[in-house]
Amino acid sequence: MIKKLIRVEELTLNLDEDEKLIEWKILKILNIKKVDLLNYEIVKKATDSRDKSKILFVYSLNIDTSDNEKIVSSKNPIFQKNLKKHKIRLIEPFVYKIEKIDSKKVKHRPVIVWSGPSWLLCATILAEAWLNPIILERWSEVKQRVIDVYNLFTKREFKKDSNVQFWEWWAGTFSDWKLYTLVNDPRSKYIFSEFVKSGAPEEIMYSARPHIGTDRLRWVVRNMRKKIISLWWEVRFDTLVTDIELENGKIKNVVLQNWEKIETDDLIIAIWHSARDTYEMLYNRWMEIKQKPFAVWVRIEHKREMINKSQYGESCTHIKLWAASYKLVSHDPEERSVYSFCMCPGWHVVLAASEPWMLTVNGMSEYAQNSINSNSALLVNVNPSDFWSDHPLAWVEFQRKWEKATFEAGWWNFNAPAQLVWDFLKNIPSKKMWSIDTTYKPELTFTSLNNCLPEFVINALRKALPELDKKIKWFANPDAILIWIEARTSSVIRMFRDTNCESNLKWVYPTWEWAWYAWWITSSAIDWLVVWEKIIEKYK
């Protein structure tokens, strides 16, 4: 039986207090002696900057004492005073167990298509459960991709099979790689612990805004892959799945680009939202696919010091404070709402094209988050009425249409079209940058948003920017830079999945946001664990 721990929340320290004071505050809150405190663990650490004159760090803790149940049931007046304030209660720690499967029950090895972050993690779990999966990665390993993407950014050398979107761990290796999620699932602790074992910073275990950074993520990828290979499972790079074969409505074979066939009884579809060719292949193989809502956006760049000061006030240069983030929304009953998304404190806007003659952008930051600018997406929802077709893949063409227009507006050479906020609000083309320099590589082409964004996006942004400026002073800074387009907020399709996590094709398991059962990294990894648990049940 697992021993219950004491959960204490809302324990605060100011910027000048050392974390060594946490122990003293625990003794005071629980009204116990030092000899009774066995151990404590930081579960969550957040920054409270609502009062700029008194910025606080707010902690949630798991605490072990000589008698946890006796302390929580104490009638002592001092403890009773703190009970409600700090939400003191007993909790049972979550331990994720990996069940072993009798390999004799498994006729053919599971196949995982593509190696996103959660898939590498869950391939490890399948291997530890003795299922020994085969993972098929359509591109090369991360080391080669770093070279290819550097050449794209600096020399405009685009490779359809080697870019920001497609490679080992997909866009994550050139993205911000935030692990923040609103999904409250205890599995996330297990997921984070596996990342830490592979080299991720330990603070992701408790940070309210957990972040690895693209520079550290590449080492995490390599270390996780080495662990998986050591568990006797197979990874194939440069291996594109071009077809699947069914027998009596069930998966039978996975077909590769060299016509090789891999027989399997469990196919886990884990592809990224930009694998449009695989969308089409699965649709042609009668997989049930539907349109789903998504959004398009522009990136807005500000000076990092301006965002920091707006969020932290005069404490903005304090050594304990990281680059500031924000989360904004502008609701308009007549127009569409506009909200910030994928905010990247202190780093870059990046070229994220994955098809020739098209351009899309994304946000990225390294672990230190110390670049001159901060950027965020300003997102506007796309509705079914915005396009003429109800075909399941119609939104792919919608994305392509505007990515082509963006490529043309950037002079056909991977320059990103851009406009200053002041010029955008006055509806005049921009000609050059002013006080804010850009982080985008290779270059920007200044023009007008009118040239390559849907009218409903432009109208919504023009109404929203002045409203957002009321929430963060100088958000609508005249010199702030709008860079477009980012049309890959999420997948544009949804796949059917039943209570066993199977699609309408038997033993084919769609996962992650591509299937619309999760949203980004952490929730995707959680969803993968759910799928794995269903596969384990099948063999039990």
Side-chain angles (χ1 to χ4, degrees):
M1 183 176 178
I2 300 174
K3 183 181 180 182
K4 292 184 178 181
L5 302 177
I6 299 173
R7 172 64 58 84
V8 170
E9 300 185 7
E10 302 296 326
L11 185 151
T12 61
L13 296 176
N14 64 43
L15 289 177
D16 297 321
E17 288 182 311
D18 195 284
E19 282 193 347
K20 293 178 181 179
L21 284 173
I22 289 177
E23 181 178 309
W24 176 79
K25 292 200 173 193
I26 289 172
L27 300 178
K28 186 177 179 182
I29 291 169
L30 296 182
N31 191 37
I32 61 175
K33 296 179 180 179
K34 187 173 181 179
V35 69
D36 293 320
L37 179 61
L38 302 180
N39 190 29
Y40 71 88
E41 173 191 22
I42 299 174
V43 177
K44 185 177 180 180
K45 178 182 178 181
T47 304
D48 183 351
S49 59
R50 290 172 294 179
D51 182 352
K52 303 294 188 290
S53 66
K54 190 182 178 181
I55 293 177
L56 299 171
F57 292 120
V58 184
Y59 297 83
S60 296
L61 307 166
N62 280 349
I63 303 165
D64 191 17
T65 70
S66 56
D67 195 333
N68 295 338
E69 294 194 14
K70 182 179 178 181
I71 288 171
V72 171
S73 61
S74 171
K75 302 300 181 182
N76 184 284
I78 297 176
F79 176 80
Q80 287 295 315
K81 181 181 177 181
N82 294 321
L83 184 64
K84 187 174 181 180
K85 177 182 177 182
H86 293 284
K87 303 176 183 176
I88 302 172
R89 62 195 185 277
L90 288 172
I91 61 106
E92 188 171 311
F94 178 79
V95 178
Y96 197 79
K97 296 181 180 179
I98 300 175
E99 299 186 62
K100 306 296 184 183
I101 299 299
D102 183 355
S103 58
K104 295 178 182 178
K105 295 181 179 180
V106 184
K107 187 176 181 181
H108 302 106
R109 297 164 67 184
V111 172
I112 303 172
V113 179
W114 217 15
S115 60
S118 350
W119 327 139
L120 277 178
L121 167 68
C122 296
T124 305
I125 295 172
L126 287 171
E128 290 180 351
W130 298 345
L131 285 173
N132 297 327
I134 302 171
I135 193 165
L136 305 177
E137 170 58 68
R138 67 184 293 169
W139 310 122
S140 302
E141 57 94 17
V142 64
K143 184 177 179 180
Q144 179 59 41
R145 290 296 178 265
V146 172
I147 298 170
D148 293 336
V149 171
Y150 177 79
N151 289 337
L152 173 62
F153 289 174
T154 59
K155 303 176 183 178
R156 298 181 171 88
E157 295 177 359
F158 175 76
K159 292 185 177 181
K160 189 176 184 299
D161 61 349
S162 180
N163 51 67
V164 166
Q165 297 285 358
F166 291 133
W167 59 0
E168 185 182 17
W169 275 44
W170 45 266
T173 28
F174 268 97
S175 184
D176 190 61
W177 235 76
K178 296 178 287 289
L179 299 174
Y180 175 68
T181 180
L182 296 175
V183 176
N184 185 17
D185 191 302
R187 294 180 182 89
S188 61
K189 185 174 181 179
Y190 168 78
I191 293 162
F192 286 8
S193 68
E194 289 297 309
F195 290 151
V196 170
K197 289 176 185 176
S198 295
E202 290 188 9
E203 62 262 25
I204 69 171
M205 294 297 298
Y206 56 80
S207 173
R209 295 277 175 177
H211 161 76
I212 294 180
T214 185
D215 50 340
R216 292 200 176 190
L217 177 66
R218 294 166 198 166
W219 293 104
V220 173
V221 170
R222 294 187 182 106
N223 292 336
M224 291 189 78
R225 184 184 349 116
K226 288 177 182 177
K227 177 182 177 179
I228 292 168
I229 292 173
S230 73
L231 292 169
W232 300 98
W233 72 283
E234 184 179 355
V235 56
R236 299 192 192 181
F237 290 106
D238 299 302
T239 303
L240 175 64
V241 174
T242 56
D243 206 351
I244 60 173
E245 292 180 349
L246 307 171
E247 185 175 85
N248 299 323
K250 300 176 182 178
I251 186 66
K252 180 173 176 58
N253 292 313
V254 174
V255 184
L256 309 183
Q257 77 267 39
N258 61 358
W259 302 106
E260 178 187 354
K261 295 181 180 181
I262 301 175
E263 194 168 2
T264 184
D265 294 327
D266 302 283
L267 174 61
I268 298 94
I269 301 290
I271 63 174
W272 180 233
H273 60 40
S274 296
R276 293 164 171 171
D277 50 357
T278 308
Y279 287 6
E280 294 169 1
M281 179 272 289
L282 291 171
Y283 176 76
N284 291 334
R285 288 293 171 262
W286 307 287
M287 181 169 280
E288 186 175 341
I289 295 174
K290 298 179 180 179
Q291 290 182 355
K292 66 173 275 292
F294 74 109
V296 296
W297 59 36
V298 298
R299 284 270 160 186
I300 185 166
E301 277 198 294
H302 301 93
K303 285 188 175 180
R304 175 169 58 94
E305 62 183 13
M306 187 279 287
I307 297 297
N308 287 356
K309 189 162 187 178
S310 71
Q311 298 297 77
Y312 297 141
E314 296 304 318
S315 300
C316 62
T317 58
H318 198 285
I319 192 171
K320 289 185 179 179
L321 292 174
W322 286 68
S325 62
Y326 56 79
K327 187 176 181 180
L328 301 175
V329 62
S330 171
H331 293 293
D332 190 317
E334 298 180 1
E335 286 286 350
R336 306 175 201 226
S337 296
V338 174
Y339 48 98
S340 64
F341 183 74
C342 193
M343 195 271 161
C344 296
W347 210 243
H348 290 175
V349 179
V350 297
L351 165 58
S354 63
E355 292 183 311
W357 312 111
M358 300 182 203
L359 190 145
T360 186
V361 299
N362 194 14
M364 155 186 147
S365 62
E366 294 189 349
Y367 175 72
Q369 297 181 324
N370 59 1
S371 179
I372 57 170
N373 290 353
S374 290
N375 71 79
S376 176
L378 294 181
L379 188 149
V380 181
N381 284 329
V382 179
N383 299 324
S385 59
D386 297 318
F387 201 59
W388 56 269
S389 175
D390 60 357
H391 189 282
L393 301 181
W395 288 124
V396 172
E397 297 310 311
F398 179 90
Q399 289 177 317
R400 282 173 169 156
K401 171 186 175 181
W402 294 107
E403 289 175 14
K404 287 177 182 177
T406 300
F407 186 76
E408 293 172 5
W411 293 352
W412 297 277
N413 64 358
F414 294 107
N415 281 11
Q419 191 172 14
L420 303 183
V421 166
W422 185 253
D423 294 336
F424 172 68
L425 293 175
K426 294 174 68 176
N427 197 18
I428 58 175
S430 295
K431 296 183 179 180
K432 63 178 181 178
M433 289 176 287
W434 291 96
S435 65
I436 300 175
D437 201 358
T438 186
T439 58
Y440 178 85
K441 302 294 182 185
E443 295 180 62
L444 297 180
T445 295
F446 281 95
T447 179
S448 169
L449 278 168
N450 296 347
N451 297 336
C452 53
L453 276 181
E455 186 177 356
F456 66 82
V457 174
I458 294 170
N459 293 338
L461 288 172
R462 284 208 172 105
K463 282 195 172 184
L465 280 165
E467 293 300 315
L468 299 179
D469 192 73
K470 295 175 183 177
K471 300 179 180 183
I472 291 183
K473 188 177 181 182
W474 292 110
F475 190 85
N477 185 324
D479 293 351
I481 305 172
L482 298 171
I483 303 172
W484 64 92
I485 185 176
E486 188 164 353
R488 314 279 182 93
T489 56
S490 68
S491 172
V492 296
I493 64 171
R494 178 179 185 174
M495 295 184 60
F496 168 81
R497 197 168 83 181
D498 64 17
T499 55
N500 292 320
C501 296
E502 292 179 79
S503 72
N504 62 302
L505 308 180
K506 193 70 173 173
W507 300 340
V508 176
Y509 301 87
T511 66
W512 195 38
E513 63 88 20
W514 181 69
W516 210 34
Y517 296 99
W519 186 258
W520 294 110
I521 299 161
T522 304
S523 61
S524 297
I526 292 169
D527 185 63
W528 218 113
L529 294 184
V530 172
V531 170
W532 169 78
E533 290 159 12
K534 294 297 183 181
I535 295 174
I536 295 300
E537 285 180 19
K538 169 183 170 181
Y539 289 107
K540 285 171 64 177

